[in-house]
Amino acid sequence: MSLNSNRSIAAHPNTVLRVFAAAIQAQHTVNFVGSPGVGKSTRLASLVRSWGLYFDSMTLTNMEPSDVLGNPTISPTTTMHDGSVHRVESTSFATPAWAIRLDYASRSGVAVQFVDEFSCGGAVHKAFLRVLSERVVAGTWLGPGAVFVTAMNPADEAVDGADLAPPTANRLIHLPWAFDADAWLQGLSVGFGNLHEPGLRDLTVDSYDNRVRMRAGVAGYLSANRAAISPGVPSNPVDAAGAWPSPRTWTILADVLGWIDPRNLDAILLAAVGTVGQGRAVAFLEFYGQFSLVDPIAVLAGRESVDWTGTRPDVLYAFCSSLAAIAVDRADAATWEAAMDVYAQAAHRPDVIVPAVRTLLSRTPRGARVPERLRSLLSSVAVAA
């Protein structure tokens, strides 16, 4: 994968596909950016439907804000905050038909709403802000499986297109549309609806331990680079219209990485570039290269050990956080004690183990015991406080 700028990223189609699949699993919005006529809409419909998911599409150029916010209607009653209904006339907003269909489908599984020509939204973008972040349409809370996917041409190639406003851009994972000539030729031959598409499970890693570990990796990087958490909106309007770091986008990245094969560095880098921008993505990948050398699952099982003196402190911090998260999730005394035994090996490194030890002490399973080697540390640094 070659990186030229925040708006010019060349990536292999398979890498883009894996990041997209991870975003669907994590239920975050991907915004595909590509030139007109390269088959974005057709391929996405074929791909998502092949996964057995609901797929519907709409075009922003044909929409008004009321198509998202709903049209006002007069109701003879008013529902209060406690659920009681009063016979007081009030105004409410009718939920658009597309949102009702999406809500129904998303209550039984993942359902994808595709929004095309997203750079031509104008006033509709404002209406979409709450939809993208909270999944609320005209007062209707969509089902838990609702996922949005958007696509757009670059602003200079779109009809009446414009760069996205920073609040909209910061809610999206920005991916380049990588035209797959082989898939297109096959679709042209057999029909795009008959393409043999890779399965969603084949493209992602469904492992809770992986999700915990990746989240701890992002937290570990940010713990040592706190200025990267929220540096503010980029001053360059072009950069502000794409991917840039904020607490929201770092959270999105942590969620998406949890579904990516931890050995696939190209996919990890592309996911990071699409959420927090190129500069921070490259720095994070450098950190991740060290973090990935320490596997908390293997350490817990006794198959690997930790170099407590030769490993970078930020990497050790992330490892300890990951270990604690796994022990808390499993919630059994054996795993809890095994994690504490690992920390006991590093009693001379309170700077990296104390936060994780505090976490475990707050969630001690019945019958679990603190290793003797940690007791003096607990007294000296008041871990239990």
Side-chain angles (χ1 to χ4, degrees):
M1 183 174 69
S2 64
L3 305 178
N4 301 317
S5 71
N6 216 25
R7 300 295 296 275
S8 179
I9 306 168
H12 190 278
N14 185 262
T15 302
V16 175
L17 188 57
R18 290 183 183 279
V19 176
F20 173 57
I24 292 294
Q25 293 279 40
Q27 298 184 17
H28 286 295
T29 304
V30 165
N31 178 47
F32 284 109
V33 182
S35 297
V38 293
K40 297 186 292 294
S41 307
T42 303
R43 180 72 197 285
L44 285 171
S46 171
L47 182 65
V48 173
R49 285 170 178 155
S50 75
W51 293 340
L53 307 180
Y54 171 91
F55 180 89
D56 191 20
S57 64
M58 56 191 183
T59 304
L60 220 60
T61 51
N62 299 330
M63 299 176 65
E64 300 289 340
S66 60
D67 293 321
V68 180
L69 299 174
N71 286 304
T73 60
I74 302 298
S75 172
T77 61
T78 300
T79 301
M80 306 303 287
H81 68 282
D82 60 359
S84 61
V85 178
H86 293 246
R87 290 189 174 279
V88 178
E89 194 174 76
S90 62
T91 301
S92 60
F93 291 86
T95 304
W98 66 265
I100 294 175
R101 292 191 294 267
L102 179 63
D103 175 45
Y104 180 81
S106 64
R107 294 187 181 279
S108 57
V110 174
V112 176
Q113 182 67 52
F114 176 56
V115 187
D116 205 0
E117 306 293 348
F118 202 66
S119 61
C120 307
V124 185
H125 278 155
K126 297 177 183 178
F128 256 104
L129 288 176
R130 193 181 183 201
V131 176
L132 294 176
S133 60
E134 299 180 42
R135 302 299 190 268
V136 179
V137 181
T140 295
W141 293 82
L142 300 175
V147 180
F148 287 86
V149 177
T150 64
M152 55 182 269
N153 307 133
D156 57 352
E157 297 179 14
V159 176
D160 296 329
D163 284 325
L164 300 178
T168 300
N170 198 240
R171 286 166 162 80
L172 308 171
I173 304 167
H174 302 265
L175 295 183
W177 180 259
F179 177 66
D180 189 337
D182 291 335
W184 181 80
L185 287 170
Q186 183 183 7
L188 186 65
S189 174
V190 304
F192 292 99
N194 297 319
L195 281 175
H196 177 70
E197 300 283 10
L200 187 60
R201 291 184 177 274
D202 297 328
L203 294 167
T204 56
V205 175
D206 188 357
S207 164
Y208 180 81
D209 287 344
N210 187 60
R211 292 194 283 278
V212 168
R213 190 165 183 271
M214 288 299 203
R215 182 171 291 276
V218 174
Y221 169 75
L222 294 174
S223 70
N225 298 274
R226 292 178 182 263
I229 297 175
S230 186
V233 180
S235 57
N236 185 326
V238 175
D239 292 338
W244 44 275
S246 72
R248 173 165 46 212
T249 53
W250 283 114
T251 302
I252 292 173
L253 177 61
D255 290 345
V256 172
L257 290 183
W259 292 90
I260 293 177
D261 186 330
R263 299 163 297 181
N264 193 332
L265 298 184
D266 281 345
I268 291 170
L269 177 58
L270 182 62
V273 170
T275 49
V276 298
Q278 179 179 328
R280 288 300 175 186
V282 172
F284 171 74
L285 190 69
E286 180 184 357
F287 164 85
Y288 179 81
Q290 297 296 315
F291 173 71
S292 62
L293 299 177
V294 188
D295 184 351
I297 304 299
V299 172
L300 274 176
R303 299 192 302 272
E304 295 182 8
S305 59
V306 182
D307 181 0
W308 294 102
T309 57
T311 306
R312 286 168 35 178
D314 56 344
V315 173
L316 290 175
Y317 179 91
F319 162 77
C320 291
S321 298
S322 179
L323 199 67
I326 292 170
V328 167
D329 178 68
R330 293 184 180 179
D332 63 87
T335 303
W336 191 94
E337 290 180 348
M340 281 294 198
D341 283 335
V342 173
Y343 298 141
Q345 298 168 16
H348 62 291
R349 295 299 306 272
D351 56 318
V352 296
I353 71 169
V354 164
V357 171
R358 281 200 183 104
T359 298
L360 285 192
L361 287 175
S362 68
R363 301 288 294 274
T364 305
R366 179 177 297 178
R369 297 183 179 181
V370 177
E372 287 295 333
R373 287 176 291 178
L374 275 183
R375 292 187 183 278
S376 59
L377 173 66
L378 303 188
S379 300
S380 63
V381 300
V383 170

